[in-house]
């Protein structure tokens, strides 16, 4: 495949970038499911999978370094969902 003047082959493909973006998409899916199901475990998994991208972007020299707050907020939400009683638990609809 050719992008611009660069020929993309298996040897010069950025596998680490692909892996990090896969983690980000898994994190978004776990975040959505965790909020819908009010599951602390899914939110914790979301925080763990988004952490590599957030840690990488923490080294930026501009406002994007504040993306490190995303996994911190997700962990706080997970703790809230663990210790907050779920009123819908046990009710079948």
């Amino acid at each position: 495949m050719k992008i611009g003047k660069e020929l993309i082959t298996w040897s010069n493909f950025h596998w680490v970038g692909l892996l990090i973006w896969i983690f980000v998409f898994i994190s978004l899916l776990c975040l959505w499911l965790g909020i819908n199901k009010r599951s602390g475990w899914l939110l914790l998994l979301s925080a763990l999978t988004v952490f590599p991208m957030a840690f990488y972007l923490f080294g930026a020299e501009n406002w994007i370094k504040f993306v490190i707050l995303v996994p911190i907020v997700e962990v706080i939400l997970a703790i809230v969902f663990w210790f907050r009683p779920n009123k819908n638990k046990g009710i079948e609809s």
Side-chain angles (χ1 to χ4, degrees), residues 23 27 41-53 71 74-75:
F23 280 164
S27 173
W41 291 109
L42 282 171
L43 287 173
L44 186 64
L45 181 64
S46 175
L48 289 175
T49 55
V50 83
F51 182 73
M53 177 67 98
E74 289 179 349
V75 168

Side-chain angles (χ1 to χ4, degrees), residues 3-4 7 9-10 20-21 28 30-31 36-37 41 63 65 70 74 87-88:
I3 298 177
L7 182 65
T9 62
W10 289 107
I20 287 177
W21 280 109
L28 290 173
C30 288
L31 178 67
N36 280 342
K37 295 185 177 193
W41 291 109
W63 60 270
K65 66 181 165 185
V70 171
E74 289 179 349
K87 296 177 183 176
N88 295 331

Side-chain angles (χ1 to χ4, degrees), residues 1-8:
M1 176 186 342
K2 193 171 185 179
I3 298 177
K5 294 182 180 181
E6 184 178 357
L7 182 65
I8 304 296

